């Protein structure tokens, strides 16, 4: 009890402001690493509050940069904060933060795309999937260049319960450009592969919009804060790779009727017949556009596709790009 009171009242030792740190270490935004920085600590506090209570939590921050969000996380009374930053220019400033928060901040100079978070925190934090949420969070103002592959990988981890999800239903809160795409509802223009993949595995909400001018340099689009809470029971109970295949193909031609993209799941010779069978089994109207398909529609499509793949495993091995390539080679 006494320990938790000490932790929750933790404050950082006095530090230069983020703009002073930028000046001191002559930091410069690198476009290739999508460095759109947040310097306003009131805003970073607000973002961090949206992640819920972080008291005594173990937090993994992706791309801390000069450390704005990092400070807000430390001030939220966490047990430990682990940050992974690729750009070496930010490491001395982060080291300064670490000195001001003894024993709280672990800095890894590395790449989030390869970092293994499942081994980073104590085993004792692990919870069963259906139990309460573990006190482990991922937070990040995601670098634009890697945000989509990163989110897809973490969603795959939710599905297979590995990576950050090895601790149980680890919550993730991201600051992401085009946050609307993650939370877009059926029929919305922003509906995409990312919306379906996020929404069949997690509860996702767009809870705060951050205008472009809050960042230095200003990005082209506004962004939003989106917390993800993994569901105890996914809305589609099929292997992640199968769902991904169906969703990716459905959105192949996003302005056309859905049968057009879904047809690409099947070899050209049997496309018409197999697509018809898939849509009949799933009871989905072939003239709906991909953006009009609900998660429930995708559930029916995935279940029907699974049935067809069980009957004929060639379906799952088929790749229309490979077929096109072979054809053009023959012609060549
Ligand atoms: N969190 C800081 C803020 O809000 O001001 C910086 C956010 S900036 C959008 C993205 C950060 O991620 C940058 O510091 C960048 O160097 C870092 N970054 C980009 N790609 C990375 C990668 N693959 N692994 C680790 N960090 C990366």
């Amino acid at each position: 009890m006494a320990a938790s009171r000490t932790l929750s009242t933790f404050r950082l030792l006095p530090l230069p402001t983020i703009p002073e740190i930028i000046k001191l270490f002559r930091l410069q935004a690198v476009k290739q690493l999508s460095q759109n920085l947040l310097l306003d600590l009131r805003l970073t506090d607000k973002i961090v509050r949206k992640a819920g209570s972080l008291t005594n939590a173990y937090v993994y921050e992706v791309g801390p940069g000069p450390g704005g969000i990092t400070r807000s996380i430390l001030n939220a009374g966490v047990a430990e904060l682990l940050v992974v930053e690729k750009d070496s220019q930010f490491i001395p400033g982060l080291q300064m933060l670490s000195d001001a928060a003894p024993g709280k901040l672990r800095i890894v100079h590395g790449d989030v795309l390869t970092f293994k978070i499942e081994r980073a925190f104590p085993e004792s934090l692990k919870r069963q999937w259906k139990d309460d949420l573990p006190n482990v969070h991922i937070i990040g103002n995601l670098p634009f260049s890697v945000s989509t592959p990163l989110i897809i990988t973490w969603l795959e981890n939710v599905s297979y319960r590995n990576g950050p999800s090895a601790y149980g239903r680890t919550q993730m809160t991201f600051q992401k450009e085009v946050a609307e795409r993650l939370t877009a509802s059926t029929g919305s223009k922003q509906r995409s592969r990312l919306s379906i993949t996020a929404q069949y595995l997690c509860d996702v909400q767009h809870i705060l919009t951050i205008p472009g001018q809050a960042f230095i340099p200003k990005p082209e689009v506004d962004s939003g804060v989106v917390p993800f809470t993994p569901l105890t029971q996914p809305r589609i109970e099929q292997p992640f790779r199968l769902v991904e295949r169906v969703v990716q193909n459905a959105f192949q031609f996003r302005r056309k009727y859905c049968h057009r993209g879904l047809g690409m799941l099947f070899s050209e010779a049997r496309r018409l017949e197999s697509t018809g069978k898939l849509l009949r089994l799933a009871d989905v109207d072939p003239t709906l556009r991909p953006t009009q398909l609900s998660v429930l529609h995708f559930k029916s499509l995935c279940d029907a596709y699974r049935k067809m793949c069980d009957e004929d495993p060639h379906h799952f091995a088929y790749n229309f790009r490979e077929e096109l390539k072979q054809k053009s080679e023959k012609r060549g």
Side-chain angles (χ1 to χ4, degrees):
M1 189 67 199
S4 75
R5 204 174 298 127
T6 325
L7 285 169
S8 58
T9 54
F10 167 87
R11 297 310 288 178
L12 281 168
L13 299 174
L15 273 168
T17 63
I18 297 287
E20 281 165 356
I21 290 219
I22 290 181
K23 240 182 172 170
L24 184 66
F25 294 106
R26 299 206 175 101
L27 305 178
Q28 280 183 339
V30 178
K31 204 168 171 205
Q32 292 87 325
L33 290 177
S34 321
Q35 291 173 347
N36 302 103
L37 310 178
L38 286 168
L39 311 187
D40 179 350
L41 287 187
R42 278 167 311 178
L43 187 59
T44 55
D45 280 350
K46 199 165 169 187
I47 293 174
V48 169
R49 274 200 302 275
K50 295 292 179 193
S53 167
L54 293 181
T55 309
N56 295 340
Y58 285 74
V59 181
Y60 170 35
E61 188 194 353
V62 177
I69 294 182
T70 318
R71 288 184 190 210
S72 299
I73 298 173
L74 287 168
N75 277 328
V78 298
E80 185 180 310
L81 169 60
L82 170 80
V83 297
V84 176
E85 174 56 61
K86 192 170 182 178
D87 188 346
S88 56
Q89 68 168 332
F90 293 123
I91 305 298
L94 291 169
Q95 195 51 54
M96 205 176 211
L97 259 182
S98 173
D99 296 342
K104 296 264 176 199
L105 177 61
R106 215 170 358 139
I107 305 164
V108 174
H109 180 202
D111 191 326
V112 293
L113 292 173
T114 50
F115 184 71
K116 299 263 178 276
I117 185 64
E118 57 272 48
R119 297 198 209 119
F121 293 140
E123 281 279 312
S124 58
L125 291 170
K126 292 191 173 165
R127 295 284 173 273
Q128 292 297 318
W129 194 256
K130 296 211 166 154
D131 285 355
D132 291 345
L133 301 171
N135 208 0
V136 178
H137 296 244
I138 306 183
I139 299 183
N141 171 12
L142 294 188
F144 181 81
S145 50
V146 293
S147 67
T148 299
L150 210 51
I151 290 182
I152 293 284
T153 302
W154 283 333
L155 288 170
E156 181 168 4
N157 293 149
V158 170
S159 163
Y160 294 119
R161 301 178 189 179
N162 54 20
S165 298
Y167 297 98
R169 289 182 296 126
T170 296
Q171 287 170 282
M172 310 180 253
T173 304
F174 303 127
Q175 157 63 46
K176 169 155 172 53
E177 84 299 341
V178 291
E180 295 84 6
R181 272 212 279 148
L182 286 164
T183 52
S185 52
T186 316
S188 137
K189 255 209 241 152
Q190 302 273 3
R191 190 90 163 156
S192 68
R193 164 192 173 210
L194 211 53
S195 335
I196 309 296
T197 313
Q199 292 169 27
Y200 96 81
L201 288 163
C202 298
D203 268 331
V204 281
Q205 295 167 317
H206 179 179
I207 53 174
L208 184 68
T209 297
I210 315 264
Q213 57 265 29
F215 299 87
I216 308 249
K218 178 180 175 295
E220 275 163 30
V221 285
D222 288 349
S223 63
V225 178
V226 184
F228 288 61
T229 308
L231 297 164
T232 47
Q233 190 99 24
R235 296 189 169 105
I236 302 175
E237 290 191 89
Q238 293 294 350
F240 183 85
R241 283 177 201 128
L242 183 144
V243 181
E244 224 203 351
R245 210 174 152 84
V246 172
V247 176
Q248 232 170 9
N249 278 283
F251 279 97
Q252 197 86 242
F253 305 102
R254 50 181 296 122
R255 286 167 201 275
K256 306 241 155 95
Y257 292 145
C258 68
H259 71 82
R260 183 80 168 75
L262 289 167
M264 305 316 263
L265 287 166
F266 306 105
S267 66
E268 202 177 340
R270 294 167 58 192
R271 187 160 293 151
L272 209 61
E273 164 211 339
S274 302
T275 315
K277 180 170 173 185
L278 175 79
L279 288 157
R280 259 194 322 279
L281 278 176
D283 193 21
V284 169
D285 176 353
T287 65
L288 287 173
R289 315 261 169 199
T291 50
Q292 293 173 308
L293 297 174
S294 64
V295 171
L296 218 59
H297 283 131
F298 274 105
K299 175 186 167 15
S300 309
L301 287 166
C302 291
D303 291 346
Y305 181 59
R306 170 67 185 265
K307 190 165 183 289
M308 291 175 72
C309 290
D310 286 346
E311 284 166 12
D312 180 352
H314 288 111
H315 287 316
F316 200 70
Y318 173 72
N319 179 331
F320 80 89
R321 287 205 174 83
E322 206 43 52
E323 187 175 21
L324 278 179
K325 201 170 128 202
Q326 283 173 8
K327 269 188 173 173
S328 85
E329 276 169 8
K330 260 191 207 156
R331 273 201 302 270

